Structure formats: structure tokens, C-alpha cells
């Protein structure tokens, strides 16, 4: 068994490199797995996603659900009313500057132990790193399934190597079936490759400081073209927001 990886060591790695790959073994040490009693249902919920119709027009096969949360400086977590996902064209040349509505993550899962534990872990990791900015967070969670077909590879990042336009990103592998490749690549502003790794086992994770590095994932192809093939991930983004304005007394 590899030595434990604690949160301060992971924060130091992120500070140093701008990104980190964390194995499933270490994520099981960092997450409160015994408390995540809905994990089987959480993992199975990737079978209940809806097609991403914004990509269907260009022949790319991705399914997803989406939910938004607010996290206060003290860690208080609250799901927000369902709302569209929006990215500037500066960060997403394929689908930027449009409001994209996706089916919401089901309430039992969005409010369940697994999601809550993942978001609390991410907040405890990222919030102390954001010195000098208000620690109120706009958090978006995305369930993604990328399908690979015999005649068409699946594209986890159809927009290519990119920034997300947030402060921090966590990508957690939920499942991968009958696929090869899907290598995450990390790049400097000049395009230089800083690192690469493959999320191969459930709970393998990637974390990035979005302003410092860009990231992409290579296309996935089926090992057995006659069988279904997919890559399931949960993507969590953190963006610092100013505290709500208060009216003068």
C-alpha cells in the first residue's frame, strides 16, 4: 500500500504544479467512504443521464445532468435553483456565450451523502488556497457520460484543450467500461505539455487550478467494437464570488 496522501500535501502539490493526479487508493483515504452510504446508487445514476442535445447536432455522443450549489465561508452547502450552464466563448469556442440547460441531477443524489462528501472534501481542499478572495463559492456539478462507438471515438473534451473559466476543477472518475485512451493532458499558457495521466480506476481524480493551466482529454475508443463503451465522470467546478450585498440600515 502506498503512503497516505493528506490534504496539506495535496494542496502543496497543487500550489507547486497547478494540477494534481490522485489515485483511487489515495482518494479513498481522503474521502469519508464509510459515510457515503448511497455510493452504489450514486454510481448507478450515470445510467439515468440525458443526451447533450447541444452536441448531438455535430454528431458527438455525450449525456449529462447538472446541478448548482452555493458554499459559504463556513462550509455551509446549499443547492441552488436549477439554472443554465454558461461559459464565455473565451473559454469554450464550441459552445460559448449561450445558456445551456441540462436535466437537473436528481434531488436524492444531489442532496445525498456521496455528493455532499465530495463537495465538502473539495471545499476543504480549495478554499484555503484562495488567499485574498472572498470565500463564497459558486459550485457547479456535472455528471458526464462519454460514449465511444466503433465508427466514432468519444470526445471527453470536444472543445479541445481549454480553461473552464473558474478557479478550481475536480474531475472524479466514476466508471469506465470497454474503452481505451482518455488521457488527460495538462498544458502551460504557451501550449507546452506539463503532464499527462489516465483516469483508469473508479475514484481516480484530477484537480487543476484553472487560471494556471489548461487541460484536455484525448478521445476514447472501444476495446471491443461490438460492445457498449463509455467513460463516466463527475466534474465539479469552484468559482469564488463576492458576498451578497446588504442593504444599509
Amino acid at each position: 500500500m502506498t503512503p497516505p496522501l493528506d490534504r496539506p500535501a495535496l494542496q502543496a502539490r497543487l500550489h507547486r504544479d497547478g494540477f494534481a493526479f490522485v489515485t483511487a487508493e489515495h482518494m479513498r483515504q481522503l474521502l469519508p467512504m464509510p459515510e457515503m452510504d448511497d455510493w452504489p446508487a450514486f454510481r448507478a445514476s450515470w445510467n439515468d443521464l440525458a443526451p447533450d442535445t447541444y452536441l448531438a447536432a455535430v454528431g458527438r455522443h455525450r449525456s449529462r445532468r447538472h446541478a448548482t450549489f452555493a458554499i459559504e465561508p463556513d462550509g455551509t452547502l446549499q443547492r441552488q435553483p436549477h439554472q443554465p450552464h454558461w461559459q464565455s466563448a473565451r473559454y469554450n469556442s464550441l459552445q460559448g456565450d449561450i445558456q445551456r440547460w441540462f436535466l437537473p441531477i436528481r434531488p436524492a443524489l444531489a442532496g445525498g451523502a456521496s455528493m455532499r462528501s465530495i463537495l465538502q472534501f473539495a471545499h476543504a481542499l480549495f478554499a484555503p488556497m484562495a488567499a485574498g478572495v472572498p470565500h463564497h463559492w459558486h459550485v457547479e456539478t456535472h455528471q458526464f457520460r462519454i460514449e465511444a462507438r466503433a465508427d466514432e471515438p468519444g470526445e471527453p473534451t470536444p472543445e479541445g484543450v481549454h480553461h473552464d473559466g473558474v478557479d478550481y476543477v475536480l474531475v472524479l472518475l466514476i466508471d469506465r467500461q470497454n474503452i481505451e485512451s482518455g488521457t488527460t493532458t495538462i498544458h502551460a499558457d504557451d501550449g507546452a505539455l506539463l503532464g499527462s495521466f489516465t483516469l483508469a480506476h473508479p475514484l481516480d481524480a484530477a484537480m487543476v487550478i484553472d487560471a494556471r493551466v489548461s487541460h484536455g482529454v484525448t478521445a476514447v475508443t472501444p476495446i471491443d467494437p461490438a460492445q457498449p463503451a463509455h467513460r463516466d465522470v463527475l466534474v465539479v467546478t469552484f468559482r469564488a464570488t463576492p458576498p451578497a450585498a446588504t442593504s444599509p440600515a
Side-chain angles (χ1 to χ4, degrees):
M1 184 173 181
T2 57
L5 175 69
D6 60 17
R7 190 165 64 237
L10 180 53
Q11 290 167 331
R13 189 188 302 178
L14 283 164
H15 272 303
R16 183 191 68 206
D17 299 331
F19 70 97
F21 166 63
V22 183
T23 65
E25 181 179 353
H26 281 143
M27 286 301 296
R28 282 191 290 270
Q29 297 166 0
L30 292 164
L31 289 169
M33 297 303 296
E35 300 174 19
M36 295 164 59
D37 53 9
D38 68 337
W39 180 255
F42 186 74
R43 184 173 177 177
S45 71
W46 266 255
N47 295 317
D48 184 36
L49 307 186
D52 183 343
T53 57
Y54 299 91
L55 279 178
V58 288
R60 295 178 172 96
H61 304 289
R62 177 165 73 180
S63 300
R64 63 194 294 175
R65 284 180 181 265
H66 172 249
T68 303
F69 299 83
I71 302 183
E72 301 302 318
D74 64 359
T76 300
L77 171 68
Q78 184 175 9
R79 185 171 183 175
Q80 298 299 288
H82 191 50
Q83 56 195 265
H85 175 54
W86 186 91
Q87 288 177 293
S88 166
R90 173 185 176 189
Y91 301 111
N92 188 335
S93 59
L94 183 64
Q95 297 175 311
D97 290 346
I98 61 173
Q99 292 188 341
R100 288 182 285 163
W101 288 92
F102 303 106
L103 283 185
I105 296 176
R106 294 196 181 278
L109 298 168
S114 291
M115 183 70 83
R116 184 172 61 250
S117 295
I118 292 166
L119 295 183
Q120 289 172 342
F121 156 77
H123 178 258
L125 177 69
F126 295 142
M129 300 176 62
V133 301
H135 293 175
H136 295 253
W137 299 97
H138 175 84
V139 178
E140 295 192 49
T141 56
H142 307 260
Q143 292 180 292
F144 285 109
R145 168 166 288 181
I146 306 300
E147 298 178 23
R149 303 183 180 185
D151 59 346
E152 188 174 7
E155 297 181 63
T157 54
E159 63 272 62
V161 174
H162 64 285
H163 296 275
D164 283 345
V166 296
D167 292 298
Y168 304 101
V169 182
L170 163 67
V171 181
L172 186 68
L173 185 71
I174 303 299
D175 188 33
R176 61 184 276 154
Q177 292 290 329
N178 187 37
I179 61 167
E180 54 188 356
S181 193
T183 298
T184 298
T185 60
I186 307 294
H187 301 261
D189 283 343
D190 63 1
L193 180 67
L194 299 177
S196 64
F197 45 84
T198 301
L199 305 184
H201 307 287
L203 292 177
D204 279 355
M207 299 146 196
V208 302
I209 302 177
D210 189 61
R212 285 182 53 188
V213 300
S214 57
H215 62 280
V217 184
T218 61
V220 295
T221 56
I223 297 171
D224 180 353
Q227 299 298 320
H230 64 256
R231 178 182 188 265
D232 294 348
V233 297
L234 177 72
V235 176
V236 181
T237 64
F238 272 62
R239 176 170 56 84
T241 61
T246 56
S247 301

